[in-house]
Amino acid sequence: MTETPPVIEVTVAAAPSVVWPALRDPELLRRWHGWDCEGLDDEIRQIYFGDDVTEDAEAFILALGGADRFSLHEHDGTTLVRITRPPRGADPATDDWYDDVTEGWTTFLQFLKFGIERHGLDERRTLFLEGPVADGDSARHLLGLDKLAGLTVGDHFTAVADTGDLLHGVVCFVGEHQTAVSVDDLGPGLLQFGEQPVNAARPNGGAQILLAAYGLDDEEWAELEQRWTEWWQARPGAEPAT
């Protein structure tokens, strides 16, 4: 039985003419795709502007090298952003990371939606944490956010995270493997956390956290980044420092 390729969708409260530049302007792409790292600009050029990328700006369709395909669909003043993935096995060299890419697109579309709707795709600061955890553990439990279990999109929450932060916000997304919530005191910011898929390089899976903050100055961000990084490195199940 042939596996149906995943289709990933999010509805953005903006017209396609507003969303489309976020797929074609490298500076805007940085504000929702990926996270702050040395190779982000090269990654964006390779994925969105490679020689095998094709676009139809009038129809709002973007095909990334014959693999993942973006399409924008207008409905009552909003835009349905759809990513249609290629079938598993279309590129055997990337099969081990197929589920990671699917989860990555799921994450990034939430940051696209949040960035446009809440900040007009303003600049952000991001922190990405990933790695193994103790058997049976999860990013949600490590964060001290078990009380979010059972909440649905739109529910408000208040929780003291294990990082020491008092978090207020709203549940923005709940998927099979990841959750995203807003954090009022970070701009508001967006906090995504979830499981990493099992693959050959990660036989026991793992956990990841992506945090985006808006409007923090250098000192505020440096303090937050250091606190969260030290907390993550001290988590149960962390690999010993080398």
Side-chain angles (χ1 to χ4, degrees), residues 53-117:
V53 171
T54 61
E55 67 171 88
D56 183 337
E58 292 187 3
F60 300 118
I61 295 173
L62 177 67
L64 304 180
D68 299 292
R69 179 180 181 273
F70 280 81
S71 57
L72 308 184
H73 308 268
E74 185 171 14
H75 178 69
D76 292 340
T78 68
T79 299
L80 176 69
V81 182
R82 175 180 295 148
I83 299 177
T84 304
R85 300 233 54 222
R88 191 188 300 269
D91 182 359
T94 63
D95 267 5
D96 255 355
W97 300 99
Y98 187 90
D99 293 331
D100 286 74
V101 174
T102 299
E103 292 300 319
W105 283 133
T106 301
T107 297
F108 298 159
L109 284 192
Q110 293 303 315
F111 282 86
L112 173 67
K113 173 182 174 69
F114 188 84
I116 290 176
E117 293 184 350

Side-chain angles (χ1 to χ4, degrees), residues 190-203:
L190 188 66
L191 169 64
Q192 173 273 345
F193 53 91
E195 308 162 11
Q196 290 182 315
V198 171
N199 61 24
R202 194 192 300 125

Side-chain angles (χ1 to χ4, degrees), residues 65-216:
D68 299 292
R69 179 180 181 273
F70 280 81
S71 57
L72 308 184
H73 308 268
E74 185 171 14
H75 178 69
D76 292 340
T78 68
T79 299
L80 176 69
V81 182
R82 175 180 295 148
I83 299 177
T84 304
R85 300 233 54 222
R88 191 188 300 269
D91 182 359
T94 63
D95 267 5
D96 255 355
W97 300 99
Y98 187 90
D99 293 331
D100 286 74
V101 174
T102 299
E103 292 300 319
W105 283 133
T106 301
T107 297
F108 298 159
L109 284 192
Q110 293 303 315
F111 282 86
L112 173 67
K113 173 182 174 69
F114 188 84
I116 290 176
E117 293 184 350
R118 302 300 298 272
H119 296 284
L121 277 188
D122 199 358
E123 293 186 8
R124 61 178 185 164
R125 298 177 189 258
T126 59
L127 173 65
F128 180 67
L129 304 169
E130 67 169 337
V133 296
D135 186 35
D137 213 339
S138 67
R140 181 175 65 193
H141 178 69
L142 289 170
L143 280 164
L145 299 180
D146 286 334
K147 66 182 297 181
L148 270 64
L151 297 185
T152 59
V153 173
D155 287 344
H156 292 259
F157 75 95
T158 298
V160 178
D162 278 11
T163 60
D165 299 77
L166 177 61
L167 306 181
H168 306 274
V170 176
V171 178
C172 299
F173 173 77
V174 179
E176 183 179 359
H177 301 292
Q178 56 179 289
T179 300
V181 300
S182 64
V183 181
D184 291 347
D185 291 341
L186 298 181
L190 188 66
L191 169 64
Q192 173 273 345
F193 53 91
E195 308 162 11
Q196 290 182 315
V198 171
N199 61 24
R202 194 192 300 125
N204 298 313
Q208 72 172 39
I209 294 168
L210 179 56
L211 176 66
Y214 299 81
L216 300 190

